[in-house]
Amino acid sequence: MCPDTTGPSGGAAGAGEAAAASDELDELDDQRLALIMRVMFFVLLGTSLARFVQRHDEQFRLPWVVTLAVVLTVLYAIPLTLGRVSPAQAPLAPAPRPQVPLSPDRIPWPPLHRLARLAAVLTAWAALVLLAPSFAWVAVPLFFDVLRVLPRAAAYALVVLLTLLVIFAQLSLAPRFDFDLVIGPAAVAALATAVFVHAQRQSARQRVLIDDLIRTRRELAATERRAGTLAERQRIAMEIHDSLAQGLSSQRMLLQAAERTWDTDPDKAHAHVRNAASIAELNLAESRRFVHDLAPTDLAHGGGLDAALRTLAERESHNGLAVTLHVDDAGAGAPVPERVQSALLRIAQSALANVREHSGATTARLTLTRLDDQVILDIADNGRGFAPAALPDSPTGSPTGTRGHGVRAMRTRVRQLGGTLTIESAPGEGAVLSVAVPTSPHAGTAEKAGEPPR
């Protein structure tokens, strides 16, 4: 079974969805704030106009004030009508996010048409304030447009000019100088500016955090994909070594033996060929099963680990090697998980292949022991033996460059199950390989303490 890439891919897709959601939220917040400011603008403009009409209905300024108020309304409403985009004109995909979020202190100059619109609105408002100072407080929503559109330095300077005009208008309406008429507009302008700039900077910081999170999720997804690929590659390598490679080795030995006896003992040669064909059929079934991450073929026939080891022993007993199996149920014995059964069978296959190819042994004995909390598999032979300390850590560490993967694959399997693997041997004294694996999913230890991995 190939590694599940849904998680990593889902992580990358989730990062893209988070970016789109963040853009949508930012746009919605900006639209809500713009809508509130526009409503405030029209409310202040309407109330100022109503108050002026009630108090100055006989003065010559009335037609001019009404005309300027209408002009200001039209100018300010232009983005509400022309700024809309129909669904047919909407882009099919959102614009790509910038790699580095734009700092609120580095806002570029807007396009010329937006500058012209802003200048027209401010000019109409200033003329209206000079004719009717009561329109001065319409400047509060205008602060929003100035801070939103212009670069920071230019926006600050213009806000100061608008505030001075508001102060001048308020003083012109007062019968005498009042210091509160100076402090009040300045405080309102400073507060509005501080709140807006703070909100922009908070939004920019949030965008940076979101972009960092998206980048981290994408990197994590890529790392998980690489780890999944390496894990699957390692699994396939171990499966090939413990099944197909060992089967091919057995077939080669059988066919070589058949070739040597073809003329002198045809019946024995035909038996070797039949055995080779049987192993080839088994390997074909194994290849189909481990591609789908299924249990080994011997386990798939039923009977459990005992029957699978017995079948393996019978199959490996040829060409002068006799393999026997002994099962010892020493304790009550918890059920052996299928994953542990598969691993132990693969280890037995690999160990017997090493015995057959390298030890020169005539007998080998498999001993399966079930205890209360673990299962132990021993593989012993009477071969020529070796020095365990000389085992290579990798294929390149061996003299031929092709040995050592079997022991390393065994250690990997045992380590994944939380068990221990020990090898006892000496030149001329045979060898014993012992594997102990816990049967409880929460039990298990690391490799045997003090034993370097080989």
Side-chain angles (χ1 to χ4, degrees):
M1 182 183 298
C2 294
D4 183 10
T5 57
T6 303
S9 299
E17 292 176 357
S22 173
D23 289 339
E24 291 179 2
L25 289 176
D26 289 344
E27 184 178 356
L28 287 175
D29 290 341
D30 193 51
Q31 290 176 354
R32 291 192 187 102
L33 182 57
L35 179 61
I36 292 173
M37 290 299 173
R38 290 185 182 282
V39 171
M40 183 185 297
F41 175 85
F42 291 119
V43 169
L44 291 175
L45 184 63
T47 55
S48 298
L49 179 60
R51 184 172 62 251
F52 183 84
V53 170
Q54 291 175 357
R55 297 183 181 182
H56 307 281
D57 55 348
E58 296 180 356
Q59 293 192 15
F60 72 94
R61 291 180 296 174
L62 180 59
W64 294 100
V65 170
V66 174
T67 301
L68 284 174
V70 173
V71 171
L72 183 57
T73 301
V74 173
L75 290 174
Y76 202 81
I78 286 177
L80 294 179
T81 56
L82 299 183
R84 296 176 180 172
V85 179
S86 65
Q89 297 172 336
L92 296 179
R97 290 168 66 93
Q99 294 296 325
V100 180
L102 190 63
S103 170
D105 295 328
R106 297 181 180 179
I107 298 177
W109 283 95
L112 186 59
H113 68 277
R114 296 190 67 185
L115 280 176
R117 179 260 179 191
L118 181 61
V121 169
L122 295 179
T123 301
W125 172 79
L128 190 58
V129 170
L130 293 177
L131 289 174
S134 59
F135 284 86
W137 286 109
V138 180
V140 174
L142 292 179
F143 291 159
F144 168 77
D145 277 346
V146 171
L147 293 169
R148 185 186 182 194
V149 172
L150 297 180
R152 190 63 68 232
Y156 289 158
L158 195 52
V159 166
V160 171
L161 291 177
L162 297 180
T163 305
L164 291 176
L165 186 56
V166 172
I167 293 173
F168 171 77
Q170 294 299 306
L171 291 176
S172 65
L173 291 176
R176 58 184 177 82
F177 179 81
D178 189 347
F179 194 70
D180 290 340
L181 298 178
V182 177
I183 296 299
V188 171
L191 179 62
T193 301
V195 170
F196 181 79
V197 172
H198 176 73
Q200 274 196 326
R201 288 178 176 171
Q202 287 293 102
S203 178
R205 293 191 188 101
Q206 184 180 13
R207 176 64 62 84
V208 171
L209 292 176
I210 292 175
D211 288 346
D212 288 342
L213 176 61
I214 292 172
R215 183 169 57 255
T216 301
R217 290 180 63 177
R218 287 173 178 167
E219 292 173 355
L220 178 60
T223 301
E224 290 176 350
R225 283 194 295 271
R226 288 194 295 269
T229 301
L230 292 176
E232 182 68 2
R233 183 180 300 171
Q234 184 182 45
R235 183 188 75 82
I236 293 177
M238 291 190 300
E239 296 288 349
I240 291 176
H241 177 273
D242 294 342
S243 57
L244 300 186
Q246 307 298 354
L248 291 173
S249 176
S250 297
Q251 293 174 53
R252 183 189 64 181
M253 295 177 63
L254 289 170
L255 292 176
Q256 288 174 345
E259 184 180 14
R260 289 193 300 268
T261 60
W262 192 266
D263 296 329
T264 58
D265 192 348
D267 293 337
K268 187 175 183 180
H270 291 163
H272 288 325
V273 173
R274 286 193 296 271
N275 288 335
S278 176
I279 294 175
E281 182 179 359
L282 177 66
N283 280 356
L284 180 60
E286 289 282 7
S287 65
R288 290 170 177 169
R289 297 185 70 82
F290 79 67
V291 164
H292 298 286
D293 199 19
L294 300 176
T297 303
D298 291 337
L299 285 174
H301 294 322
L305 183 59
D306 300 7
L309 290 175
R310 188 170 290 106
T311 301
L312 175 64
E314 294 173 357
R315 188 167 57 245
E316 293 293 335
S317 296
H318 57 77
N319 288 344
L321 177 63
V323 183
T324 59
L325 171 68
H326 175 69
V327 179
D328 182 10
D329 291 322
V336 181
E338 292 183 1
R339 182 185 180 198
V340 175
Q341 294 185 44
S342 298
L344 291 178
L345 180 58
R346 292 301 191 199
I347 291 173
Q349 290 175 340
S350 181
L352 289 179
N354 288 338
V355 170
R356 183 182 62 250
E357 294 182 18
H358 310 301
S359 71
T362 57
T363 62
R365 181 180 179 86
L366 302 177
T367 303
L368 181 66
T369 305
R370 292 189 182 89
L371 302 178
D372 292 338
D373 58 350
Q374 65 178 345
V375 58
I376 302 173
L377 176 65
D378 297 319
I379 301 100
D381 68 77
N382 65 346
R384 64 177 62 96
F386 59 94
L391 284 174
D393 293 339
S394 64
T396 57
S398 62
T400 63
T402 59
R403 298 280 304 279
H405 180 80
V407 176
R408 190 173 69 255
M410 294 181 202
R411 293 190 186 280
T412 300
R413 291 184 187 276
V414 173
R415 187 184 303 114
Q416 291 173 348
L417 297 173
T420 60
L421 183 148
T422 57
I423 299 176
E424 298 178 2
S425 181
E429 297 183 6
V432 177
L433 183 147
S434 180
V435 178
V437 178
T439 55
S440 171
H442 302 291
T445 59
E447 282 196 355
K448 192 172 182 180
E451 182 184 2
R454 300 188 181 92

